[in-house]
Amino acid sequence: MKKVPTQLIETLKNNETFLLLAHNKPDGDAIGSVIVLGKTLKAMGKTVDYYIDTPVEEKLRFFSEISYFNEHLAAAYDVIVLLDCSTLDHTYQPKQLPDHKVLAVIDHHKSNEAYGDVNFIEITSATAELVYRIATALEIPLDEEMIDAVFTGISTDTGSFQFSNVTSETHEILSQLYRLKTNFAVLSKRLHSEKSYSQMKLYGKAVESMRLFADNTIAWILLTYEDISKYGGPLNITDDIANIGMNTIGVQLSATLKEVDNGEYRVSLRSKSPFNIDVSELAKAHGGGGHIRAAGFTYSGDLEVLKQELRALIEKQRSSENG
Amino acid sequence: MKKVPTQLIETLKNNETFLLLAHNKPDGDAIGSVIVLGKTLKAMGKTVDYYIDTPVEEKLRFFSEISYFNEHLAAAYDVIVLLDCSTLDHTYQPKQLPDHKVLAVIDHHKSNEAYGDVNFIEITSATAELVYRIATALEIPLDEEMIDAVFTGISTDTGSFQFSNVTSETHEILSQLYRLKTNFAVLSKRLHSEKSYSQMKLYGKAVESMRLFADNTIAWILLTYEDISKYGGPLNITDDIANIGMNTIGVQLSATLKEVDNGEYRVSLRSKSPFNIDVSELAKAHGGGGHIRAAGFTYSGDLEVLKQELRALIEKQRSSENG
């Protein structure tokens, strides 16, 4: 296994009080990483506080360590650790960041500019890989909750070991986790397959609503306000709904619209590699943001106009291909 | 890595002509395992024929080795190898099995009674794990197609590394595969997420049709003949439709009905651990078969009667719990 920076190990060993932060709307990797590092530090006899954006999503609420989140916030800490936060802006933090001697950043995002006093930035599948290596380097044995937390971080950030961020070392870590605990089937199902009845129905409604146009290269998916209300509201819209279009063979560009208020839509755009369609442009033009292949914005105009704008994106790509 | 039986290695080394068989309706593990072993033997200079149930399902058709399937069948072989076949009955085979000196069986199913002259039976996630170990023991380097074939076998038989058959060694093998090829994202998507528009729509229709009863413990899903016809026929019904009910939180028992002809239904039953509901009983009573947690049969009676029978199964379990 690759090394952990000595400076970080020394910082964790030689200080006593720690505040752990993660990004806004923490996902499985943020929560898992925070728990692994928090329990590692506690096992070393350190004082650990967590300041985390809650409530944590339902499927992650089984971690008992969550009960210590936001329990106490001191005016000063030896070290503030930011986990899985590509920038300080993405970090969920108190209005006034407590005094601290050291700001430590542990993250796996390529875009991270190492903005801490101490940094452990490496492009891995998940920040959970990094905290696993930290616990191992510190020779702190993982209890079952920590094992599940490492698994959760990696499994959720890789779409169950399917994304291109998976490496040989990712599976090496998994191989070691399975030596500590032999069965992750129930946890996997919880993280990836299970939905409430309402969530399942909204997913079905989204598939049901899908229409293709522009020679079946654009997928258009719309959840109406009525559908969303009928099945328990926006919280029941699962993330995988935005992938329905992308998982449909032949589709190059997808728009998933959720009518959050009457006539007001939250729009998620996706585009598929290797097609050269930059969806962030359109999102920015509508006051939103994102990346080349995933962007979003709020829209309350004519839906036919939006469809025309999507057609134009496809046309633009075609003419650049032929140009 | 664990060992391969010496007798099998000697059998593969000391013979010249091989016929490879797999089970009926071959899945990703059957196809992947056959290709890995076939190409391993060819790399050793052996003569290899394949007798395989075709057409292979769409998502697996990218393997170029498939073009050699069923190309030639001799009257006699030194060795016939059965891959991923728990019994001889499950094997797809010529009416008259060609003459052979040795019948070799390579399989990962617990129920396999080692019915070959030479057997390599070990409970692993997939038969692909076993053929990977064979190629490694024979020191045959894997080309890209063989790497993809091992990945396909393991990835499909584990539901993308989620099922309880995954072990530490499964991930160790994956760690080795990622050293040979760094990106399996496109293949993973092909194997697990992508659907044609019609397949996606049928999946949506199935979710849409789901109704819960018996205090939301039974899920009832029905694809009508009309729906199936509208979206390209039964071949577009993907396997994951039978899991919709099981993936709905709170459901203990699910029935998925496909109307294959007017008024004639193919019924798939599933029950969830840890509830003690044996669905094979009911399937057998209707002339079908299966296991405790997954069974099927054909039904053309009154659907309300079938619902009552499902209610009775739940009642039986409840009274045995309270008994």
Side-chain angles (χ1 to χ4, degrees):
Chain A
M1 220 161 34
K2 282 189 235 149
K3 296 225 165 142
V4 177
T6 313
Q7 200 194 3
L8 177 65
I9 293 296
E10 294 306 314
T11 301
L12 300 178
K13 275 185 178 165
N14 300 334
N15 286 285
E16 294 310 316
T17 61
F18 294 83
L19 176 65
L20 270 48
L21 307 179
H23 57 76
N24 294 309
K25 295 186 188 165
D27 56 8
D29 190 27
I31 296 299
S33 298
V34 155
I35 289 172
V36 175
L37 186 65
K39 292 191 78 169
T40 297
L41 291 168
K42 286 181 180 179
M44 294 163 76
K46 312 294 181 182
T47 300
V48 178
D49 284 337
Y50 302 100
Y51 188 84
I52 306 290
D53 190 3
T54 52
V56 168
E57 54 180 320
E58 173 66 34
K59 68 180 179 190
L60 301 173
R61 263 179 238 161
F62 65 95
F63 289 113
S64 60
E65 190 70 6
I66 289 176
S67 66
Y68 300 108
F69 285 6
N70 310 327
E71 210 188 23
H72 177 254
L73 185 66
Y77 292 91
D78 293 338
V79 186
I80 297 182
V81 189
L82 277 64
L83 290 132
D84 204 36
C85 299
S86 55
T87 66
L88 200 56
D89 273 358
H90 283 108
T91 309
Y92 180 79
Q93 46 182 309
K95 266 174 201 155
Q96 174 85 46
L97 204 62
D99 288 339
H100 52 280
K101 294 190 288 177
V102 182
L103 188 78
V105 174
I106 302 170
D107 186 30
H108 74 119
H109 291 99
K110 205 199 301 200
S111 58
N112 195 306
E113 289 178 351
Y115 54 91
D117 303 314
V118 175
N119 299 285
F120 181 18
I121 317 290
E122 215 181 281
I123 302 168
T124 51
S125 73
T127 298
E129 283 199 28
L130 305 179
V131 293
Y132 174 78
R133 283 160 56 188
I134 293 169
T136 305
L138 289 165
E139 296 180 353
I140 299 298
L142 271 62
D143 66 16
E144 188 167 338
E145 184 171 25
M146 293 158 84
I147 295 166
D148 282 348
V150 176
F151 184 92
T152 296
I154 297 175
S155 180
T156 54
D157 254 25
T158 59
S160 200
F161 311 101
Q162 293 188 26
F163 298 161
S164 56
N165 56 1
V166 175
T167 65
S168 180
E169 185 157 0
T170 311
H171 282 288
E172 199 181 309
I173 291 173
L174 262 292
S175 179
Q176 292 173 15
L177 290 184
Y178 271 86
R179 262 174 242 141
L180 301 173
K181 181 186 162 179
T182 55
N183 202 324
F184 292 89
V186 171
L187 179 53
S188 293
K189 199 167 168 142
R190 181 179 180 107
L191 297 174
H192 297 286
S193 316
E194 285 187 340
K195 288 186 168 74
S196 70
Y197 177 76
S198 297
Q199 288 171 333
M200 194 64 91
K201 283 294 189 174
L202 275 176
Y203 186 89
K205 280 281 176 198
V207 174
E208 178 78 335
S209 78
M210 179 167 63
R211 297 291 175 271
L212 303 184
F213 58 94
D215 297 332
N216 301 332
T217 57
I218 302 178
W220 177 268
I221 289 161
L222 195 157
L223 283 174
T224 64
Y225 186 74
E226 197 189 342
D227 285 340
I228 297 170
S229 306
K230 181 174 174 190
Y231 293 114
L235 275 179
N236 280 327
I237 302 174
T238 48
D239 293 339
D240 53 356
I241 285 181
N243 298 326
I244 294 169
M246 286 292 95
N247 287 335
T248 303
I249 293 169
V251 169
Q252 297 175 17
L253 169 64
S254 85
T256 308
L257 288 83
K258 309 165 202 165
E259 191 179 11
V260 288
D261 207 338
N262 278 310
E264 185 177 315
Y265 300 90
R266 182 75 204 148
V267 184
S268 302
L269 299 180
R270 296 280 186 278
S271 77
K272 198 184 281 176
S273 130
F275 307 104
N276 189 25
I277 305 167
D278 183 354
V279 294
S280 68
E281 264 178 55
L282 186 59
K284 279 173 198 157
H286 286 288
H291 312 279
I292 298 176
R293 309 220 163 274
F297 57 97
T298 301
Y299 185 81
S300 48
D302 184 342
L303 295 182
E304 289 307 316
V305 170
L306 183 54
K307 281 186 189 172
Q308 281 310 325
E309 290 175 354
L310 295 175
R311 276 182 214 273
L313 267 185
I314 287 275
E315 292 302 329
K316 188 176 164 192
Q317 186 242 337
R318 282 191 196 158
S319 55
S320 77
E321 262 179 5
N322 299 332
Chain B
M1 219 162 34
K2 282 191 233 149
K3 295 227 166 142
V4 177
T6 313
Q7 201 194 1
L8 177 65
I9 293 295
E10 294 305 316
T11 301
L12 300 178
K13 276 185 177 165
N14 302 332
N15 287 285
E16 294 310 317
T17 61
F18 294 83
L19 176 65
L20 271 47
L21 307 179
H23 56 76
N24 295 309
K25 295 185 189 164
D27 55 8
D29 191 27
I31 296 299
S33 298
V34 155
I35 289 172
V36 175
L37 187 65
K39 293 192 79 169
T40 297
L41 291 168
K42 286 180 179 180
M44 295 163 75
K46 313 294 182 181
T47 300
V48 178
D49 283 338
Y50 303 99
Y51 188 85
I52 305 292
D53 190 1
T54 53
V56 168
E57 54 181 320
E58 174 66 35
K59 69 180 178 189
L60 301 173
R61 263 179 237 162
F62 65 95
F63 289 114
S64 60
E65 190 70 6
I66 289 177
S67 64
Y68 300 107
F69 285 6
N70 311 326
E71 211 189 22
H72 177 255
L73 186 66
Y77 291 91
D78 293 338
V79 186
I80 295 182
V81 189
L82 277 64
L83 290 133
D84 204 35
C85 300
S86 55
T87 66
L88 201 53
D89 274 359
H90 284 108
T91 310
Y92 180 79
Q93 47 182 307
K95 266 172 199 156
Q96 174 85 47
L97 205 62
D99 288 340
H100 53 279
K101 295 189 288 179
V102 182
L103 188 78
V105 174
I106 302 171
D107 186 32
H108 73 119
H109 291 99
K110 206 200 298 202
S111 58
N112 195 307
E113 289 176 350
Y115 54 90
D117 303 314
V118 175
N119 299 286
F120 180 19
I121 317 291
E122 216 180 279
I123 302 168
T124 50
S125 73
T127 298
E129 285 198 26
L130 305 179
V131 292
Y132 173 79
R133 284 161 53 188
I134 292 168
T136 305
L138 288 165
E139 296 179 354
I140 299 298
L142 271 61
D143 66 16
E144 187 167 339
E145 184 170 26
M146 293 158 84
I147 295 167
D148 282 347
V150 175
F151 184 92
T152 297
I154 296 176
S155 179
T156 54
D157 254 26
T158 60
S160 200
F161 311 101
Q162 294 188 26
F163 299 161
S164 56
N165 57 1
V166 175
T167 66
S168 180
E169 186 156 2
T170 310
H171 282 288
E172 199 181 310
I173 291 172
L174 261 294
S175 178
Q176 292 173 15
L177 289 184
Y178 271 85
R179 260 174 244 141
L180 301 173
K181 182 186 161 180
T182 54
N183 202 322
F184 293 90
V186 172
L187 180 53
S188 292
K189 197 164 173 150
R190 181 179 181 107
L191 296 173
H192 296 287
S193 316
E194 285 187 342
K195 288 187 168 74
S196 70
Y197 178 75
S198 298
Q199 288 171 334
M200 195 64 91
K201 283 293 189 174
L202 275 174
Y203 186 89
K205 280 280 175 197
V207 174
E208 178 79 331
S209 78
M210 179 166 64
R211 297 291 176 270
L212 303 184
F213 58 93
D215 297 331
N216 302 333
T217 57
I218 302 178
W220 177 267
I221 288 160
L222 195 156
L223 283 175
T224 65
Y225 185 75
E226 198 190 340
D227 286 338
I228 298 169
S229 306
K230 182 174 174 191
Y231 293 113
L235 275 178
N236 279 328
I237 302 174
T238 48
D239 293 342
D240 53 356
I241 285 181
N243 298 326
I244 293 168
M246 286 293 94
N247 287 335
T248 303
I249 293 169
V251 168
Q252 297 176 16
L253 169 64
S254 85
T256 308
L257 289 83
K258 307 163 204 168
E259 191 177 14
V260 287
D261 206 341
N262 278 311
E264 187 178 312
Y265 300 90
R266 184 72 206 152
V267 184
S268 301
L269 299 180
R270 296 281 186 279
S271 77
K272 198 183 281 176
S273 128
F275 308 104
N276 189 26
I277 305 167
D278 182 354
V279 294
S280 69
E281 264 179 53
L282 185 59
K284 279 174 197 156
H286 286 289
H291 311 281
I292 299 176
R293 309 221 164 271
F297 57 97
T298 301
Y299 185 81
S300 49
D302 184 342
L303 295 182
E304 289 307 316
V305 171
L306 183 54
K307 283 187 186 170
Q308 281 308 325
E309 290 175 356
L310 295 175
R311 278 182 211 275
L313 268 183
I314 286 276
E315 290 302 331
K316 190 176 162 191
Q317 185 242 338
R318 283 193 194 157
S319 56
S320 77
E321 262 180 4
N322 301 331

